[in-house]
Amino acid sequence: MHEAISTTVRQTRERDYDRALAKALVEREVLSLQQVKAALNEIRNDQSDKTLEAYLIGSEIIEEDELLETKAALWHVPYIDLSNYEIDPEVLELVPASMVRQFQFFPLFRIDNTLLVAMADPKDVKAIDQITRKTQLEVSPALSSKKALIEAINKHYGESEEEPIGDVQVTSEEMQDILEIIEAESTQEDYEQSTADLERLAEEAPVVKMANMVLTQGITEGASDVHINPEEKMVRVRFRVDGVLRDSLKLPKNLQEALVSRIKILSNLDIAEHRIPQDGQMQIKLKNGRRIEIRVSTLPSAFGENVVMRILDKSAALLQIENLGYEEDIRQKMYDLLDAAYGIILLTGPTGSGKTTTLYAALNRLNSVEKNIITLEDPIEYRLELIRQSQVNVKAGMTFAKGLRSILRQDPDIVMVGEIRDSETGNIAIQAALTGHLVLSTLHTNDAAGAVTRLAEMDIEPFLISSAVLGVLGQRLVRKICPNCKEEVKKHVEIPDHVMQALGIENAKDIKIYRGRGCSKCRESGYKGRMSIVEVLKITEPIRELIFRGASTDEVRNAAIADGMRTMMTDGWIKILKGITTIDEVMRVTNL
């Protein structure tokens, strides 16, 4: 009798769960309503105990990742892809291998008194209770596939039932002791007295591991910047990936001072100074031998020092123009400009539009033992062989203008000036271009044509601009559609007439537009990686005459388009029609 009642209760729960799962699959657009109805009918007609989940996987109607992501959303827990997750070795000590195998879970990360745990069944109350009793921590469950859990357990705990032997030298009790010391000693009122203690704590294993973990996780996820933002009750860690900031970790507040001190020590900053901003640099070596330079900036804020770390991957310095994703005609225009014996080539765009990467790619093409190439940068981001690189230092009197004058006395063939910021630097750069040097530099303007007006606003004579400037490249970075969740956009999309005409498209009916649905590989963003969209304004004779006459930006732009220039917007549409990026992304970065 009891067994029959138990079976009935179980079946009722499973039917309720199937209905909830079916609704979630349709709402998240993973399956259509027709697909879900057909699956439920098949299960009903089969008169078996098979659940909707088992039927969908067994029939290969849905990928396991998609199903797990939907289940996680339904249960209001995160979905963890263990194959892409940076494991914290510290937490492996918290639970024995026998317990991990018995309850099919994997400890991921400890934040203060909370332990994040990956489970095949995050609703397993019995398992959660056992983990809580063993660790004396609050358990926060996350969903993972059973296969991934077993692989992670075997990888990190070993195939046998024996306890793992690793290089973890600090126990969880010692970690807690250190956190308590940090909390007791690193107060706002006690900076001077706690400096020595903070220096000691910053060298302790748990803090070292935490700092390393934050950096390696950022590098693994492809972040360009790591932000450590102190808040009132915790420390928020965010990564800028593909130009967009996103949350990554939330650390206990009592770890703040020791973590910031650790970063300051690594980047040769003063750990006793909390009242003024500081800038530093460090270099780390990954296990695969790859070296990463990191530029560090600290800024006092209401709840402590804010830290931003710019990750500078040296491989970016080796980029060639061929690898920037330019269309063939754009690439050829760049080659033509760089082959000139003298003149000035300008790159324009806002901060974060890839100008520096393009400059380095251009320098790589020009670099040879026969040429004396000197740069003036603020700051020097990548070191290049054979090239003499100089750092702007305003405090010491080394401004762009003064540095550029000195460079011209060093017998250069090619000069790269990080940015033309004022009239003095602009006039010197123009004079250098007119006296036999090839000059590369950047300007902050919205598009290529705007560079001409910007130089005129710096009180540079129009006849000098028209004589010296060879060409201007305007660019933006757009996010690329994640290849793992790429799908066709079903609704009709209107393509602007001027784009149709510029690209020679007669019939838009057969054109396909794509988007990223969002998946675990791209953190539900639908995007992974970035590429440039560009426009190249070559200073031809008609445009040179317009500049000489002091024409407006619109007049120069219209003349350039009539002369064959393809705008950034049109270049963006090429990437859209190739299925590389989306309409929303091109509109976001061009603002046109």
Side-chain angles (χ1 to χ4, degrees), residues 85-135:
Y85 202 88
E86 185 76 14
I87 304 300
D88 180 5
E90 184 69 25
V91 301
L92 298 179
E93 296 182 322
L94 296 176
V95 284
S98 57
M99 185 177 179
V100 167
R101 288 191 172 86
Q102 179 185 353
F103 293 105
Q104 291 290 290
F105 72 93
F106 191 87
L108 293 170
F109 202 88
R110 177 182 174 179
I111 302 176
D112 205 0
N113 290 319
T114 300
L115 180 66
L116 179 64
V117 172
M119 306 177 72
D121 182 8
K123 300 191 285 40
D124 188 343
V125 177
K126 183 180 177 182
I128 292 172
D129 285 344
Q130 291 294 327
I131 301 166
T132 301
R133 286 196 189 97
K134 178 65 179 176
T135 62

Side-chain angles (χ1 to χ4, degrees), residues 133-177:
R133 286 196 189 97
K134 178 65 179 176
T135 62
Q136 295 298 302
L137 298 171
E138 182 181 345
V139 174
S140 176
L143 178 67
S144 186
S145 75
K146 193 167 185 179
K147 180 183 176 184
L149 278 170
I150 293 170
E151 289 176 353
I153 291 168
N154 289 339
K155 178 180 177 182
H156 294 279
Y157 283 91
E159 297 282 349
S160 69
E161 293 292 321
E162 296 176 354
E163 290 296 315
I165 299 174
D167 59 355
V168 178
Q169 302 295 324
V170 181
T171 66
S172 58
E173 289 79 11
E174 289 173 323
M175 167 69 103
Q176 190 59 41
D177 288 343

Side-chain angles (χ1 to χ4, degrees), residues 7-115:
T7 301
T8 302
V9 170
R10 176 181 59 80
Q11 290 174 342
T12 302
R13 285 175 176 171
E14 286 177 353
R15 283 197 300 270
D16 289 343
Y17 171 68
D18 280 353
R19 283 194 290 269
L21 179 61
K23 183 181 178 183
L25 288 167
V26 173
E27 287 178 346
R28 287 171 60 86
E29 299 181 348
V30 178
L31 295 178
S32 67
L33 182 59
Q34 290 73 22
Q35 286 176 304
V36 169
K37 283 182 176 179
L40 291 172
N41 286 333
E42 284 291 330
I43 296 169
R44 191 178 301 113
N45 295 335
D46 192 39
Q47 293 184 340
S48 68
D49 289 335
K50 187 179 287 185
T51 63
L52 175 62
E53 177 179 342
Y55 175 82
L56 292 174
I57 293 294
S59 305
E60 298 183 346
I61 295 173
I62 189 173
E63 293 289 336
E64 186 182 26
D65 275 357
E66 292 178 314
L67 182 63
L68 290 172
E69 288 168 13
T70 303
K71 286 172 63 177
L74 181 62
W75 292 340
H76 304 291
V77 298
Y79 166 62
I80 300 292
D81 183 354
L82 286 174
S83 63
N84 293 329
Y85 202 88
E86 185 76 14
I87 304 300
D88 180 5
E90 184 69 25
V91 301
L92 298 179
E93 296 182 322
L94 296 176
V95 284
S98 57
M99 185 177 179
V100 167
R101 288 191 172 86
Q102 179 185 353
F103 293 105
Q104 291 290 290
F105 72 93
F106 191 87
L108 293 170
F109 202 88
R110 177 182 174 179
I111 302 176
D112 205 0
N113 290 319
T114 300
L115 180 66

Side-chain angles (χ1 to χ4, degrees), residues 303-350:
F303 299 113
E305 287 181 280
N306 198 73
V307 179
V308 175
M309 293 179 280
R310 168 65 57 89
I311 298 173
L312 304 171
D313 188 347
K314 286 190 171 184
S315 61
L318 304 176
L319 273 177
Q320 306 295 322
I321 289 175
E322 294 83 354
N323 306 128
L324 294 179
Y326 293 166
E327 299 299 317
E328 178 60 36
D329 60 328
I330 296 290
R331 193 160 57 243
Q332 192 55 56
K333 285 181 180 180
M334 280 295 291
Y335 293 159
D336 292 344
L337 290 173
L338 293 172
D339 287 342
Y342 61 90
I344 186 166
I345 301 169
L346 296 169
L347 275 69
T348 72

